[in-house]
């Protein structure tokens, strides 16, 4: 054990304690997801053939997820539960490394203004954690490809760290490394790709006061961001992704984004209402107090300008890639606009770097801890809701299969086809904590309703469209709970009234 500890210290120095701290934070926030759980998409991934699952991921430009499915689902033939466990394990490891990577970026910036004590290291670690584990990050743990999505965040952070080293050393090898990490990040998940741009621009504003140099390096970061993205867009369009825009309609797309902006700016109610306004007011107050004590307001103007710039970059990094999609496919789900969520941590980091007064630093750390506690509580509430939704769905499957078995026994006829009619019954069928639909019932989407029944019954029902007459029957029996009159039989076909 002593030799192992010495080897770790030789490799990481004293940072192995920080890495362990990053791991503890990751487990505290996402340990509840260790038990296999299902989004509506996961039922599709579980029941479709390996070829079909791989095809869907390739069409969306997610090469690493396609490879994951091909290996663990196809070659090794693992069940969905084991695939989810492996994906989750990858997610925890890369979340740990993502926090550590951002911690290293922040340390490099803080050292230029102040020394780093042990207590300061803890403060920097907490700020790094809130940059990575921002309110939108939870949705990356909601899907089959959770490990690969989180890997995309790590690769974007590594690209930003490489760019930071380039700014310091001016070595072109770091630019090459930056481009490589960005290209790999895009092959994981496009929604997190803007993380590089926001971190890179944050580093630029923290390192550079000269306007000319700032603009020059922002252009450099834009090139490092844009080149891999352009190649990815071309490849996806060649493959034939239906979500990639066949024509560019900026006005309609902007209108769609503006009409759906509330969920993004309110962080889907994970944090308190008007949170960003409250946070920027609090941080401005902290900086103002420090400036008043020092009788110099230079820091205040620097903070306000940096904060405004960071907000603009975070917003652009989240929304601009969405313009590459068809207008009717635009989706501002948390996983898609993840880079915007980093604005919280980056504002805190900016304040931390600018301030030097001990009380100001303590106020920043206290604010960070408070936000993390709120996030932890909301994340766990949503995760519990996820387990409840999965359990209720599974119980409904048993009810449906019992009715099918009774029919097959009574009439000596085997059901081979199932149809679903989703009624407009008011209200959420499950009164549970939700986030942008990740706790949605499997019976609410046409790609998961038949899949969940096939998964838990071991049958292979074919999903077919219901007739108008069958749909009318369901509309007459709409109710928020499943009863026997919500399933109708017609030969070898079962018509299920969903709600």
């Amino acid at each position: 054990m002593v030799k192992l500890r010495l080897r770790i210290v030789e490799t990481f120095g004293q940072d192995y304690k920080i890495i362990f701290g990053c791991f503890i934070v990751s487990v505290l926030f996402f340990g509840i997801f260790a038990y296999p759980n299902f989004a509506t998409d996961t039922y599709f991934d579980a029941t479709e053939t390996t070829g079909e699952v791989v095809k869907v991921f390739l069409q969306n430009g997610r090469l690493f997820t396609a490879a994951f499915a091909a290996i663990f689902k196809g070659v090794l033939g693992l069940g969905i539960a084991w695939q989810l466990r492996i994906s989750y394990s990858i997610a925890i490891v890369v979340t740990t490394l993502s926090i550590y990577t951002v911690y290293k970026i922040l340390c490099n910036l803080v050292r230029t203004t102040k020394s780093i004590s042990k207590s300061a290291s803890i403060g920097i670690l907490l700020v790094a954690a809130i940059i990575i584990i921002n309110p939108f990050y939870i949705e990356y743990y909601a899907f089959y490809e959770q490990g690969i999505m989180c890997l995309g965040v790590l690769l974007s952070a590594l690209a930003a760290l490489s760019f930071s080293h380039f700014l310091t050393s001016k070595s072109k090898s770091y630019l090459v490394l930056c481009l490589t990490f960005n290209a790999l990040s895009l092959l994981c998940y496009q929604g997190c790709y803007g993380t590089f741009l926001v971190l890179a621009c944050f580093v630029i504003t923290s390192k550079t006061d000269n306007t000319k140099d700032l603009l020059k390096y922002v252009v450099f970061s834009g090139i490092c961001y844009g080149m891999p993205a352009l190649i990815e867009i071309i490849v996806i369009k060649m493959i034939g992704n239906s979500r990639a825009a066949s024509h560019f309609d900026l006005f309609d797309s902007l209108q769609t984004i503006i009409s759906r902006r509330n969920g993004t700016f309110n962080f889907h109610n994970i944090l308190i209402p008007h949170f960003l306004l409250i946070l920027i007011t609090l941080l401005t107050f902290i900086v103002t107090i420090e400036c008043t004590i020092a009788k110099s307001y230079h820091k205040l103007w620097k903070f306000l300008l940096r904060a405004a710039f960071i907000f603009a970059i975070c917003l652009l990094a989240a929304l601009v890639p969405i313009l590459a999609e068809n207008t009717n496919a635009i989706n501002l789900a948390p996983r898609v606009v993840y880079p915007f969520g980093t604005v919280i941590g980056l504002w805190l980091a900016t304040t931390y770097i600018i301030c030097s007064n001990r009380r100001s630093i303590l106020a920043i750390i206290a604010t960070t801890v408070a936000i993390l506690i709120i996030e932890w509580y909301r994340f766990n509430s949503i995760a519990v809701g996820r387990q409840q939704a999965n359990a209720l769905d599974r119980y409904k499957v048993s009810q449906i299969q019992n009715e099918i078995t009774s029919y097959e026994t009574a009439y000596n006829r085997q059901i081979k086809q199932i149809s679903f009619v989703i009624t407009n019954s008011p209200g959420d069928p499950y009164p549970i904590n939700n986030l942008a639909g990740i706790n949605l019932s499997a019976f609410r989407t046409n790609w998961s309703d038949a899949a969940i029944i096939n998964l838990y019954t071991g049958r292979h029902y074919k999903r077919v469209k219901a007739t108008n007459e069958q749909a009318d029957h369901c509309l007459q029996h709409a109710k928020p709970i499943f009863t026997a009159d919500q399933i109708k039989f017609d030969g070898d076909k079962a018509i299920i009234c969903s709600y």
Side-chain angles (χ1 to χ4, degrees):
M1 287 297 293
V2 174
K3 288 183 178 180
L4 177 61
R5 186 177 183 276
L6 288 173
R7 187 169 296 176
I8 292 172
V9 171
E10 287 174 4
T11 305
F12 297 103
Q14 291 300 315
D15 276 5
Y16 75 94
K17 295 178 181 178
I18 296 296
I19 295 173
F20 182 71
C22 296
F23 174 75
I24 293 298
V25 170
S26 301
V27 172
L28 280 173
F29 273 86
F30 303 108
I32 195 169
F33 285 92
Y35 185 80
N37 55 87
F38 293 79
T40 55
D41 294 18
T42 313
Y43 294 110
F44 172 88
D45 299 326
T47 55
E48 282 294 332
T49 63
T50 303
E52 187 62 27
V53 172
V54 169
K55 176 184 173 184
V56 169
F57 286 128
L58 285 177
Q59 286 179 333
N60 286 280
R62 303 177 195 173
L63 180 62
F64 287 165
T65 307
F68 179 91
I71 293 169
F72 293 104
K73 180 181 175 71
V75 177
L76 299 179
L78 297 180
I80 187 63
W82 273 107
Q83 292 176 59
L84 290 173
R85 289 187 186 103
I86 293 169
S87 188
Y88 167 80
S89 299
I90 295 171
I92 286 292
V93 171
V94 297
T95 298
T96 299
L97 296 177
S98 295
I99 297 172
Y100 175 68
T101 301
V102 174
Y103 168 84
K104 295 299 289 184
I105 292 173
L106 295 181
C107 282
N108 291 339
L109 297 175
V110 170
R111 283 195 186 97
T112 61
T113 59
K114 58 178 79 75
S115 61
I116 300 177
S117 62
K118 288 185 178 180
S119 58
S121 294
I122 296 173
I124 295 170
L125 171 61
L126 293 173
V127 173
I130 209 168
I131 290 173
I132 293 298
I133 307 176
N134 69 55
F136 297 147
Y137 194 69
I138 184 177
E139 204 176 28
Y140 287 161
Y141 275 81
F143 294 93
Y144 169 82
E145 62 269 34
Q146 57 191 298
I148 308 302
M149 285 179 160
C150 293
L151 178 61
V153 175
L154 171 60
L155 290 167
S156 290
L158 288 170
L161 181 60
S162 301
F163 188 81
S164 177
H165 289 321
F166 162 73
L167 293 180
T168 303
S169 67
K170 302 298 185 292
S171 172
K172 293 181 181 178
S173 61
Y174 282 117
L175 275 183
V176 174
L177 200 58
C178 175
L179 286 167
T180 302
F181 283 134
N182 274 337
L184 293 174
S185 176
L186 270 173
L187 296 176
C188 293
Y189 181 65
Q190 296 87 351
C192 65
Y193 180 59
T195 307
F196 159 73
L197 189 61
V198 298
L199 288 174
C201 288
F202 164 72
V203 169
I204 292 168
T205 58
S206 301
K207 280 179 173 285
T208 310
D209 287 325
N210 183 285
T211 303
K212 183 179 178 181
D213 287 342
L214 187 145
L215 292 174
K216 179 176 73 173
Y217 291 134
V218 167
V219 170
F220 264 79
S221 67
I223 293 171
C224 291
Y225 171 83
M227 285 178 61
L230 182 61
I231 295 170
E232 175 82 356
I233 290 171
I234 293 171
V235 170
I236 288 177
K237 286 191 174 184
M238 287 174 62
I239 294 173
N241 181 8
S242 60
R243 294 185 66 177
S246 55
H247 66 283
F248 186 71
D249 194 333
L250 179 62
F251 182 74
D252 285 351
S253 294
L254 285 175
Q255 276 192 320
T256 302
I257 289 171
I258 291 170
S259 67
R260 300 175 184 178
R261 70 189 183 279
N262 287 340
T264 300
F265 287 121
N266 293 332
F267 298 103
H268 291 273
N269 299 318
I270 286 180
L271 300 175
I272 59 178
H274 311 295
F275 174 78
L276 282 181
L277 180 60
I278 294 170
L279 179 63
I280 194 62
T281 302
L282 175 60
L283 296 180
T284 302
F285 177 74
I286 292 172
V287 178
T288 301
I289 292 297
E290 174 152 326
C291 290
T292 302
I293 294 172
K295 297 181 180 180
S296 172
Y297 289 91
H298 173 69
K299 286 183 179 180
L300 178 60
W301 291 114
K302 181 186 288 187
F303 168 74
L304 291 174
L305 288 172
R306 288 183 182 181
F309 179 73
I310 287 168
F311 178 84
I313 291 296
C314 288
L315 190 62
L316 288 172
L319 299 183
V320 168
I322 297 172
L323 297 175
E325 297 182 355
N326 283 316
T327 302
N328 58 3
I330 286 177
N331 177 19
L332 299 186
R335 64 187 180 276
V336 177
V337 294
Y338 169 79
F340 180 73
T342 62
V343 69
I344 298 170
L346 294 178
W347 275 355
L348 288 164
T350 299
T351 315
Y352 189 97
I353 292 169
I354 286 177
C355 291
S356 56
N357 184 284
R358 185 171 178 273
R359 291 182 179 179
S360 299
I361 298 298
L362 288 175
I364 296 164
I365 293 173
T367 303
T368 303
V369 170
I371 297 170
L372 286 170
I373 290 172
I374 294 170
E375 278 194 15
W376 177 84
Y377 174 77
R378 288 290 291 130
F379 281 13
N380 277 269
S381 298
I382 292 166
V384 170
R386 177 64 165 275
Q387 294 170 355
Q388 292 171 338
N390 286 174
L392 289 167
D393 277 346
R394 190 163 188 173
Y395 177 66
K396 185 174 178 178
V397 169
S398 68
Q399 290 179 295
I400 291 170
Q401 188 56 41
N402 285 340
E403 294 297 324
I404 291 176
T405 301
S406 297
Y407 171 81
E408 290 177 330
T409 302
Y411 293 94
N412 194 27
R413 182 175 289 172
Q414 187 177 29
I415 295 297
K416 297 180 180 179
Q417 303 178 90
I418 50 177
S419 296
F420 291 87
V421 178
I422 299 179
T423 65
N424 293 320
S425 180
D428 191 329
Y430 299 151
I432 57 180
N433 286 293
N434 202 353
L435 170 70
I438 68 171
N439 290 348
L440 191 67
S441 167
F443 292 97
R444 296 292 288 180
T445 64
N446 58 15
W447 59 81
S448 60
D449 46 16
I452 188 174
I453 295 176
N454 289 335
L455 176 65
Y456 289 128
T457 63
R459 302 281 290 267
H460 299 281
Y461 299 116
K462 182 181 178 182
R463 193 185 195 281
V464 294
K465 188 176 180 180
T467 64
N468 291 335
E469 180 185 349
Q470 292 163 350
D472 290 339
H473 167 80
C474 285
L475 291 173
Q476 295 169 13
H477 295 85
K479 59 186 72 173
I481 58 172
F482 181 81
T483 54
D485 59 0
Q486 284 184 294
I487 182 168
K488 181 180 179 181
F489 297 99
D490 182 10
D492 66 349
K493 180 179 178 182
I495 301 92
I496 300 166
C497 305
S498 196
Y499 52 84

